[in-house]
Amino acid sequence: MTETTKIIAGDALLTMDAGNRVIADGAVLIEAGRIAAVGTLAELTVAHPTVAVHKTADTVLMPGLVNAHAHSGFLRGTAEHLPVWDWLTLHINPMHRMLQPHEAEAASWLCYAESLLSGTTTVVDMWRYMEGSAKVAEAIGSRLVAVPYVGEHPDYDYFDTLDMNEALIESWHRKADGRVNVWVGLEHLFYADEAGQRRAIDMAKKHKTGFHTHCSEAEIEVAEFLKRFGKRPMFALEELGFFETPLAMIAHGVWIDPSEIEMISTYNVSVAHNPVSNMKLASGIALVDDMIKAGVAVGIGTDGEKENNNFDMFEEMKVASLLGKLKDRDAAAMDSWQVLRMATILGAKAIGLDHEIGSLEVGKRADIIAVRCDTPRMTPFFADGPYFNLQHNLVHAVRGSDVAMTMVDGKVLVEDGVLKTADIKVIIAEIHRVAPGLFARRADWLAQNRGGTMQWTKA
């Protein structure tokens, strides 16, 4: 499937447009990487009789998924059953202290490959040494929002700096045919001193980029914000000027309360909801439905491989739905359509790209996936009629391994479940080669610093 102009078709097409339109025997006309027409296969072949047709049998076509918050890495299964503070001080921060650029790049190869294989076409990745990550996205073909892990404080000198962040913006923002975008990042507000906070805001304004940080993930943060600023976290961020940036996205937002939701809804502020991570680290349950009802764009993120432990956005959708139901003790809460929108068009809005991706509509980028519908998990499958169940099966039954095809900008990156732009065996072998060295350096550092890293500076 290499033609620049082509028609792709499936047994059903899920547009995720404003009406969540589903087209039985649907098809998309692609020209130069963009969607030129959407309709039934019969309609498109009549209108464009000379264009080659590629029909993937027994599949549903839908927009590529948007992972609104992730971290590259390869600590999977090595930092388990710990509360978030021990997890950070004994495993995660010491890893960042020891990480080397070639290891960071290898991690991005692994995570972007896993994402494409499971139907995620866009990843918001907060990671280190992200020139390597940008090169990976360019080579493997995925869409990337690169957000450097920044610590702009003398006590957090083992993260990237704002100088590194700005250099990445200047060299990679909107590169790789527009597939790579670079934002300003802070690991956490407390990881920057006052000068660093001001500069982060000014950088996002200067370069007209988004700003992304973790906030309100753990309950303890609220008390610390009240101690330092006399305000809850979102009000403190507002006062400091972070919501004056073109787009501010908060990762987690578990402890954002109704007053904060009302306030952030008046700004261009979005939230990345990470249900699996929030459960695994026992962080709490975010008020997702309240945010969406207030008009806040909420996307879904996997978080990192170490706190998930995978990049399967289909699994993340299921957990998001179930967690919302449990929170409200309401089986109708977080319904399938709402969750699908969070993983596609609403997630695209959360990262400021809903004009380009997130739905299958004319003029948008051809970021499309094909999900198999001939599996036990998708059976029975009804794309129309009185027993229509497509949305429920996609959210509650499908797994990333059911993705047969992944396309970005009209280019097929995964076909028949096989990654076409890289050798997955080589990627995995490289992780096995470099991981022991990182783990050994971290162990040596921890042996000399038994308390681990310091978490949070004194006010």
Side-chain angles (χ1 to χ4, degrees):
M1 201 186 299
T2 59
E3 301 89 342
T4 57
T5 300
K6 56 199 169 194
I7 293 171
I8 63 168
D11 292 79
L13 186 136
L14 179 64
T15 64
M16 297 312 301
D17 63 8
N20 296 330
R21 184 167 54 122
V22 176
I23 304 172
D25 296 314
V28 176
L29 173 67
I30 299 169
E31 293 180 347
R34 290 189 180 270
I35 297 171
V38 177
T40 65
L41 177 58
E43 290 169 343
L44 266 56
T45 52
V46 167
H48 307 276
T50 63
V51 176
V53 176
H54 303 271
K55 181 163 185 179
T56 50
D58 300 313
T59 61
V60 174
L61 299 181
M62 64 179 289
L65 304 180
V66 177
N67 187 342
H69 179 71
H71 305 289
S72 288
F74 48 81
L75 299 189
R76 199 183 318 252
T78 67
E80 302 294 313
H81 307 309
L82 291 169
V84 67
W85 251 232
D86 291 344
W87 179 78
L88 282 168
T89 57
L90 297 175
H91 288 273
I92 308 312
N93 289 349
M95 176 273 295
H96 282 294
R97 185 179 287 278
M98 295 294 107
L99 187 69
Q100 296 179 359
H102 72 281
E103 296 162 339
E105 183 172 330
S108 290
W109 274 110
L110 181 70
C111 296
Y112 301 171
E114 180 183 354
S115 297
L116 289 172
L117 285 165
S118 55
T120 294
T121 51
T122 300
V123 177
V124 179
D125 189 13
M126 180 177 273
W127 190 223
R128 296 205 59 201
Y129 305 116
M130 293 201 77
E131 183 175 358
S133 304
K135 290 177 180 177
V136 173
E138 182 177 47
I140 207 168
S142 59
R143 198 173 301 283
L144 171 67
V145 176
V147 186
Y149 251 132
V150 170
E152 197 71 16
H153 190 288
D155 291 330
Y156 295 100
D157 59 356
Y158 47 88
F159 287 93
D160 284 12
T161 65
L162 285 173
D163 282 344
M164 296 168 69
N165 196 156
E166 187 158 38
L168 191 73
I169 292 172
E170 291 171 346
S171 60
W172 275 99
H173 189 45
R174 298 194 176 96
K175 295 297 175 63
D177 297 321
R179 287 186 290 103
V180 173
N181 287 275
V182 184
W183 287 12
V184 175
L186 277 183
E187 205 288 344
H188 191 282
L189 179 69
F190 298 158
Y191 283 35
D193 56 21
E194 290 184 14
Q197 293 167 11
R198 186 67 255 166
R199 185 180 171 196
I201 295 166
D202 291 343
M203 272 177 54
K205 290 180 176 179
K206 172 186 173 182
H207 295 287
K208 298 181 174 60
T209 70
F211 167 78
H212 189 38
T213 190
H214 299 91
C215 197
S216 298
E217 179 177 2
E219 188 175 16
I220 193 173
E221 293 177 60
V222 177
E224 187 68 16
F225 269 94
L226 289 170
K227 176 183 174 182
R228 296 190 188 199
F229 299 102
K231 294 179 173 62
R232 292 185 63 89
M234 294 302 105
F235 290 106
L237 290 174
E238 178 194 34
E239 183 176 79
L240 290 168
F242 282 96
F243 298 159
E244 298 167 8
T245 58
L247 170 61
M249 185 165 70
I250 304 301
H252 298 285
V254 173
W255 293 94
I256 295 177
D257 79 353
S259 67
E260 292 173 291
I261 293 172
E262 182 180 3
M263 183 271 290
I264 66 173
S265 71
T266 66
Y267 291 94
N268 196 17
V269 176
S270 60
V271 173
H273 177 46
N274 307 276
V276 170
S277 172
N278 294 343
M279 292 170 66
K280 184 180 178 186
L281 297 177
S283 300
I285 306 176
L287 300 177
V288 174
D289 196 49
D290 293 356
M291 294 182 198
I292 292 173
K293 287 177 179 176
V296 177
V298 181
I300 295 177
T302 59
D303 214 358
E305 93 301 339
K306 57 200 176 297
E307 59 267 32
N308 188 296
N309 294 37
N310 62 52
F311 283 75
D312 187 342
M313 280 287 290
F314 282 99
E315 179 180 89
E316 208 72 30
M317 281 194 282
K318 179 174 183 174
V319 174
S321 178
L322 299 183
L323 188 60
K325 297 175 190 304
L326 181 63
K327 180 185 76 69
D328 293 341
R329 296 185 183 180
D330 178 3
M334 291 295 285
D335 71 77
S336 300
W337 281 122
Q338 178 168 297
V339 174
L340 276 169
R341 294 188 71 80
M342 291 170 66
T344 55
I345 187 61
L346 194 58
K349 183 178 180 181
I351 63 173
L353 290 177
D354 52 314
H355 62 294
E356 289 276 53
I357 61 171
S359 60
L360 304 186
E361 298 182 84
V362 173
K364 289 196 173 184
R365 300 280 187 176
D367 290 10
I368 304 170
I369 64 175
V371 180
R372 292 177 58 196
C373 58
D374 61 347
T375 65
R377 281 188 287 273
M378 278 286 276
T379 304
F381 164 63
F382 298 107
D384 55 12
Y387 306 112
F388 178 83
N389 63 351
L390 175 58
Q391 79 279 32
H392 301 308
N393 281 355
L394 287 171
V395 170
H396 291 286
V398 165
R399 291 291 174 267
S401 57
D402 297 327
V403 173
M405 185 275 292
T406 301
M407 171 187 288
V408 175
D409 275 353
K411 180 180 179 181
V412 174
L413 309 180
V414 172
E415 191 165 26
D416 296 326
V418 176
L419 183 64
K420 309 299 287 185
T421 50
D423 188 330
I424 191 65
K425 292 182 179 179
V426 172
I427 291 171
I428 291 171
E430 178 65 4
I431 296 298
H432 286 152
R433 187 185 73 84
V434 303
L438 175 61
F439 291 171
R441 295 195 306 276
R442 183 180 64 176
D444 289 345
W445 186 88
L446 282 168
Q448 300 172 44
N449 300 270
R450 295 191 178 276
T453 59
M454 179 169 60
Q455 185 61 26
W456 289 353
T457 56
K458 294 182 180 179

